[in-house]
Amino acid sequence: MTKGLLEQGPGIRESLKALPYSFNINNVTAALIATVFSLSGPIILLINIANEAHLTDQQIVTWLMSIYFISGTLMVFLSLYYQQPIAIAFSLPGIIVIGSLMKVFSLNQMVGGYIFGGLILLFLGVTGLIKTVVKYLPLPIIMGMIAGALFSYAMGIVTSVQKDYIGAGLTLLAFFVSRLFTKKIPPQAIALVVGVIVSMYLMKSKMAMGDLFYAPLLIKPDFGFAAILSIGVPLVLLGLADFLKGYGILTANKFDAPVNTMITSTGICSTIGAFFLAHSITVAGPITAITSCEDAGPKESRWVGAFIKGIIQVFVAFISGLLVPFLRSLPATIANVLAGLAMVSLFITAFEVAFSSKNKFQIGAFFAFIVAYSNFSIYNISSPVWSLLVGIIVSLIFERENVKSFLRPVAEADGIASSQG
């Protein structure tokens, strides 16, 4: 792969020629498993947060339609052009952070923050600065912030079961029991199916069906300073964290990932999607893991799994009008349990990165965690931003030597690179 501003790949024409001969049971199965994962967890979380923000059906459909259509289209393009299983979706940790912010800022201000975040990612990609920025990224502190933002949703599992031991309890039980029978199907998917059945037949909930055709809304942005800082900055950092996970997975599976293109394209798509309430289009770590591992078949054909998954995401975008009212009909307790279960793997990863013995910024990560969990704002600046600032300051005070040792290899590497240049 030629390294330039934007990396070169085999091209769409070559991939289309190879496509009919590249399908196999492994990459098709990987695509289906990735689809079940993305539909059983993240989409429920999105609906749950939209309900808490009191969005209308049309606003939620616009949000869901835009993120699935744009991310699916980009996923199809990247898989065809580079013949790599580069999975694209909306930022799962990003949706957690903006959940509380939707209660503080208007949709117009939210869109302004989204656009700012997308433009920053685009700038990092087209200038090639992404490779420098990620070297200095305090990932443990960012993960501490994510863990803090997630914690209330994790506690929602317990409180929902306390309130509704039949509906929420059976949904949670299905999550645990499913692992005894199969490891192929994500337990969140089994929990979703059981949750819907319990809602319809035991709790007698009336499950609504929507319309297939909804006109998406175009939202005018409002670029307020507080909104840009509270929304845009966390989304940029979380987008970079998502990118690092996806890039690491591709590299571990011996793919030469197109770094600049991945950041530039997601920055463009995030900026465009922002006008339709799409909060952040990013590299999807879990889906990349599913479609790029050895279980997805021979390395040279694993990209087909990502291609199929992208096609399915576009299809989901077109049926968003049917899905949203149906999923909104789920009882709140069951929806809260499903939303919490959707984040189990993300929550574990966040805690592992933030507080593992290998982490040199444990104290800073801890304070980032508790500040993000407190969910407060000062001067209209939200707790995620304050948590990052507090976490960095605490590490500079209590973990000064660790900070120096973290920065030293980066400085030395930059010095070597400049001397060779």
Side-chain angles (χ1 to χ4, degrees):
M1 183 185 295
T2 303
K3 297 293 183 181
L5 183 59
L6 297 179
E7 298 86 350
Q8 298 296 310
I12 294 178
R13 182 177 298 179
E14 291 299 318
S15 297
L16 289 175
K17 290 179 182 178
L19 184 61
Y21 311 100
S22 300
F23 289 97
N24 57 60
I25 187 65
N26 300 90
N27 56 35
V28 173
T29 300
L32 295 178
I33 292 174
T35 298
V36 173
F37 170 82
S38 63
L39 292 181
S40 59
I43 195 171
I44 293 294
L45 180 60
L46 185 151
I47 296 294
N48 197 47
I49 287 177
N51 282 337
E52 292 178 354
H54 305 293
L55 300 188
T56 66
D57 277 358
Q58 190 175 19
Q59 289 169 339
I60 303 175
V61 169
T62 298
W63 187 4
L64 189 64
M65 183 184 297
S66 62
I67 56 177
Y68 272 89
F69 178 80
I70 294 173
S71 64
T73 302
L74 179 58
M75 193 169 174
V76 168
F77 171 77
L78 292 177
S79 61
L80 283 174
Y81 187 80
Y82 289 105
Q83 291 190 6
Q84 293 190 32
I86 304 171
I88 306 296
F90 64 88
S91 173
L92 188 56
I95 201 174
I96 302 300
V97 170
I98 68 171
S100 59
L101 298 178
M102 282 186 160
K103 303 173 185 176
V104 179
F105 297 103
S106 68
L107 284 183
N108 305 86
Q109 291 172 317
M110 296 297 294
V111 169
Y114 299 164
I115 292 173
F116 174 80
L119 290 175
I120 293 298
L121 292 176
L122 174 59
F123 173 78
L124 294 176
V126 297
T127 59
L129 288 174
I130 178 61
K131 297 176 182 177
T132 301
V133 170
V134 295
K135 294 177 184 177
Y136 293 97
L137 203 63
L139 197 57
I141 294 175
I142 293 174
M143 286 300 177
M145 179 265 285
I146 293 175
L150 286 174
F151 201 69
S152 61
Y153 292 95
M155 291 301 297
I157 298 175
V158 178
T159 56
S160 294
V161 173
Q162 286 178 323
K163 295 177 183 177
D164 175 20
Y165 59 88
I166 294 178
L170 288 175
T171 301
L172 181 61
L173 181 64
F175 174 83
F176 293 127
V177 173
S178 65
R179 185 56 73 189
L180 299 175
F181 298 98
T182 178
K183 292 185 179 180
K184 286 289 186 181
I185 302 176
Q188 291 90 343
I190 305 296
L192 173 60
V193 172
V194 171
V196 171
I197 293 174
V198 169
S199 300
M200 294 176 66
Y201 295 104
L202 290 183
M203 302 178 72
K204 306 297 183 182
S205 298
K206 186 177 180 180
M207 306 302 289
M209 294 300 293
D211 298 322
L212 183 59
F213 299 103
Y214 269 87
L217 299 172
L218 181 66
I219 308 297
K220 181 180 178 181
D222 180 356
F223 297 100
F225 175 76
I228 286 177
L229 196 59
S230 295
I231 302 164
V233 172
L235 284 182
V236 169
L237 294 175
L238 293 174
L240 294 175
D242 286 333
F243 161 77
L244 278 177
K245 287 186 287 184
Y247 172 75
I249 291 168
L250 288 171
T251 302
N253 285 286
K254 298 180 172 56
F255 287 97
D256 187 13
V259 175
N260 288 343
T261 300
M262 289 164 65
I263 285 293
T264 301
S265 60
T266 52
I268 293 173
C269 289
S270 294
T271 304
I272 296 173
F275 291 95
F276 302 95
L277 297 179
H279 62 284
S280 181
I281 306 298
T282 186
V283 181
I287 300 176
T288 299
I290 293 171
T291 56
S292 66
C293 68
E294 292 184 359
D295 291 340
K299 179 174 178 288
E300 62 273 10
S301 62
R302 292 176 198 169
W303 62 273
V304 176
F307 170 79
I308 297 172
K309 177 63 171 64
I311 294 293
I312 295 174
Q313 284 181 204
V314 173
F315 172 74
V316 170
F318 285 112
I319 63 170
S320 297
L322 295 175
L323 287 176
V324 168
F326 180 80
L327 295 175
R328 291 192 81 178
S329 303
L330 286 171
T333 51
I334 292 180
N336 288 337
V337 168
L338 291 170
L341 294 177
M343 295 178 292
V344 169
S345 60
L346 176 59
F347 196 77
I348 293 172
T349 300
F351 260 86
E352 186 176 36
V353 175
F355 303 115
S356 69
S357 58
K358 297 179 181 179
N359 172 22
K360 298 179 179 180
F361 307 121
Q362 289 179 332
I363 301 177
F366 171 75
F367 278 91
F369 168 81
I370 60 174
V371 171
Y373 177 63
S374 65
N375 193 25
F376 69 91
S377 64
I378 300 177
Y379 300 114
N380 289 325
I381 307 300
S382 63
S383 59
V385 175
W386 291 115
S387 71
L388 295 171
L389 181 61
V390 169
I392 292 172
I393 292 174
V394 168
S395 287
L396 288 172
I397 295 173
F398 290 96
E399 299 163 314
R400 190 178 308 171
E401 293 303 317
N402 292 338
V403 173
K404 291 180 180 178
S405 64
F406 170 72
L407 295 176
R408 191 178 300 119
V410 177
E412 290 175 355
D414 289 343
I416 293 172
S418 61
S419 64
Q420 289 177 344

